[in-house]
Amino acid sequence: MANAREFNFDGLVGPSHNYAGLSFGNVASYNNVKSVSNPKEAALQGLAKMRALASRGFAQGVLPPQVRPNFRLLRSIGFTGSDAEVLSRAYKEAPVILASAYSASPMWTANAATVSPSADTADGRTHFTVANLNNKLHRSYEHTQTARTLKAVFFDDRHFAVHDALPATPAFGDEGAANHTRLCASHGAPGVEMFVYGRVEFDPDRPSPRRFPARQTLEASQAVARLHGLSERRTVYIQQDPDTIDQGVFHNDVIAVGNADVLFYHQHAFHHERTALEPLRQALAGVDTELRAIRVNAAEVSVADAVTSYLFNSQLLSRPDGRMALVVPQECQENAAVSRYLQQLIVSGGPIDELISFDLRQSMRNGGGPACLRLRVVLTDAEVAAMHQGVLMTEDLYGALVSWVGKYYRDRLAPADLADPAFAVEVQTALEELSGVLKLPDLYAF
């Protein structure tokens, strides 16, 4: 068993952070449509979380924002002329599509890819499959830059394999690690990979939500497992409760989170809950591990309270002493039922005995909490040495990024600002400098 640590690679909020309300099924995002955003505050809130966790000894990295606006999208659907003309016409004729081209959603790197560590894969490499995110226009273009970024950071193919996105068809709807959890005795030991899906494309008689879309298919999850060379005995597929999706739980990480041998989940997270977890228990027994399930009853915390507080969209992190800390958004403390439950949880004698709260209000208003902001990557010492070092969080990098944000980010961004060609130049100039800060000169193809 190799010595390994779990790194959280947080998405750096981009300078075009805005509230476009593009994600139907994401209640928080939809409720704040067309509000004025504060990109500077959003980026600084995210950086403060990264720095605080790194200072606590948790392994921390950063992944950069994507190029905005997405002129490739705008030109592909008939907007022509100079960049300024493209922006002006799109704002007049299709403001929602212009907002899609300026989408801030790549900050949520939990959707960037699905990751399997080398302890689980047939070839002993860490595998990434970039998510196609084809359920939403504004996200469906992300995979090109995501693949470029991951291949630049995890460039050594002796240790890493970065797979391009699955075919962009509804049958293979893939939303990345937001619907994937790895459970294990320790990070360096072989684990069990749990894929949670919302519907089955090729079996229409299987249950599915009626109000909101099920973004992850069973077929996509199975394809990722094949690409990563996962053992069938240590791979489990569980269906998300369709009725819960219809209540605004658009990803599994809004209703459940796992770490090591602990699964923290809501009573209504999974379809047929009583039998859903049995294959997981059996698979873990095969690696000499017993599942420690922490079930939150609906009588204690309703699905509505879970969605508004993002209780389960938290980071569950292992400390060196073997106990666990739960990283929650400030909203959890402001919701009476959730706050009451959490206070009981940490004194219960269970594995979670610490709460770490962060103000991530800018991200929360756009529909994503602490867990959305990070991609979990388990790495051995040799793999850490083989990756690009410029994205690992240090005090120097934190200082450089705070200075960069202060130089380029606005503290107020309204929907009408997206039509301003000067703002597009402003964003591109910022990203050109960022590639130098991260020592990734070929990061972007402007």
Side-chain angles (χ1 to χ4, degrees):
M1 180 177 70
N3 183 39
R5 303 175 68 195
E6 181 182 76
F7 281 72
N8 287 287
F9 285 86
D10 279 39
L12 178 59
V13 180
S16 64
H17 169 70
N18 69 97
Y19 300 136
L22 299 168
S23 191
F24 180 64
N26 182 332
V27 175
S29 170
Y30 212 63
N31 286 346
N32 289 296
V33 61
K34 296 183 180 179
S35 300
V36 174
S37 64
N38 187 330
K40 181 179 291 185
E41 183 179 54
L44 294 177
Q45 286 174 348
L47 284 167
K49 177 172 86 77
M50 293 184 232
R51 182 195 194 192
L53 293 178
S55 68
R56 291 279 302 270
F58 297 111
Q60 182 69 56
V62 59
L63 291 177
Q66 298 200 3
V67 175
R68 292 293 181 266
N70 184 348
F71 281 110
R72 186 165 67 93
L73 163 61
L74 296 173
R75 293 183 184 280
S76 72
I77 56 175
F79 294 110
T80 59
S82 66
D83 287 352
E85 290 168 336
V86 166
L87 294 174
S88 176
R89 186 177 171 193
Y91 182 68
K92 291 176 183 176
E93 298 179 18
V96 174
I97 295 178
L98 177 61
S100 295
Y102 262 114
S103 167
S105 57
M107 62 194 266
W108 294 314
T109 54
N111 303 128
T114 304
V115 187
S116 295
S118 54
D120 292 356
T121 63
D123 64 5
R125 295 188 294 171
T126 298
H127 283 247
F128 303 76
T129 292
V130 176
N132 59 31
L133 298 168
N134 69 342
N135 188 263
K136 297 286 181 287
L137 171 65
H138 68 289
R139 304 217 66 175
S140 65
Y141 278 74
E142 289 178 24
H143 65 89
T144 301
Q145 180 62 50
T146 297
R148 186 184 183 100
T149 298
L150 291 177
K151 289 174 181 179
V153 174
F154 301 101
F155 59 88
D156 191 335
D157 59 12
R158 295 171 301 172
H159 294 279
F160 309 111
V162 179
H163 304 280
D164 290 330
L166 298 177
T169 174
F172 292 107
D174 179 24
E175 300 278 316
N179 293 308
H180 172 263
T181 301
R182 180 179 189 257
L183 297 163
C184 55
S186 64
H187 292 311
V192 172
E193 302 205 16
M194 180 181 83
F195 293 84
V196 180
Y197 61 94
R199 65 182 181 86
V200 183
E201 171 75 9
F202 298 122
D203 188 352
D205 293 330
R206 295 280 287 273
S208 61
R210 295 178 294 274
R211 180 185 181 196
F212 292 140
R215 304 185 189 184
Q216 184 81 24
T217 65
L218 172 62
E219 291 83 357
S221 298
Q222 292 170 330
V224 172
R226 284 192 294 269
L227 286 169
H228 292 193
L230 301 183
S231 163
E232 290 186 7
R233 297 191 309 275
R234 294 189 282 111
T235 305
V236 175
Y237 305 97
I238 298 177
Q239 183 166 10
Q240 195 173 350
D241 189 321
D243 292 335
T244 304
I245 293 175
D246 279 337
Q247 294 179 67
V249 180
F250 53 98
H251 289 141
N252 179 63
D253 68 1
V254 181
I255 204 70
V257 60
N259 176 59
D261 58 354
V262 172
L263 181 64
F264 179 51
Y265 74 101
H266 192 275
Q267 172 185 347
H268 296 308
F270 308 115
H271 185 55
H272 291 158
E273 180 219 352
R274 290 185 179 180
T275 57
L277 297 184
E278 187 54 32
L280 183 62
R281 296 182 193 277
Q282 294 177 6
L284 282 167
V287 291
D288 299 321
T289 305
E290 183 176 344
L291 177 68
R292 291 192 286 175
I294 302 176
R295 179 186 193 259
V296 180
N297 296 321
E300 298 173 284
V301 176
S302 67
V303 171
D305 281 334
V307 170
T308 56
S309 68
Y310 271 39
L311 166 61
F312 296 96
N313 195 244
S314 301
Q315 293 176 247
L316 187 55
L317 304 175
S318 296
R319 297 197 311 263
D321 63 4
R323 308 287 283 178
M324 296 188 191
L326 190 68
V327 179
V328 300
Q330 185 173 296
E331 282 77 0
C332 283
Q333 310 289 6
E334 298 169 359
N335 181 297
V338 172
S339 178
R340 182 167 54 249
Y341 173 81
L342 288 173
Q343 292 308 312
Q344 296 169 352
L345 175 70
I346 62 172
V347 298
S348 66
I352 303 172
D353 67 354
E354 181 185 11
L355 294 179
I356 305 174
S357 179
F358 288 105
D359 178 3
L360 299 169
R361 203 166 299 275
Q362 285 289 319
S363 175
M364 289 286 290
R365 292 189 69 203
N366 223 5
C372 283
L373 284 164
R374 61 91 174 97
L375 183 68
R376 306 165 77 169
V377 185
V378 170
L379 297 170
T380 65
D381 293 343
E383 290 161 350
V384 174
M387 64 169 284
H388 176 67
Q389 303 297 296
V391 295
L392 296 178
M393 183 55 63
T394 63
E395 276 297 304
D396 286 345
L397 179 58
Y398 171 78
L401 291 174
V402 167
S403 296
W404 172 78
V405 168
K407 180 178 179 180
Y408 288 107
Y409 280 53
R410 298 185 180 189
D411 58 14
R412 186 183 188 280
L413 188 65
D417 295 329
L418 304 184
D420 183 1
F423 179 61
V425 173
E426 191 178 303
V427 173
Q428 180 172 327
T429 302
L431 296 181
E432 287 175 340
E433 183 169 318
L434 177 65
S435 65
V437 173
L438 298 178
K439 299 180 175 61
L440 289 169
D442 298 321
L443 178 60
Y444 299 113
F446 291 109

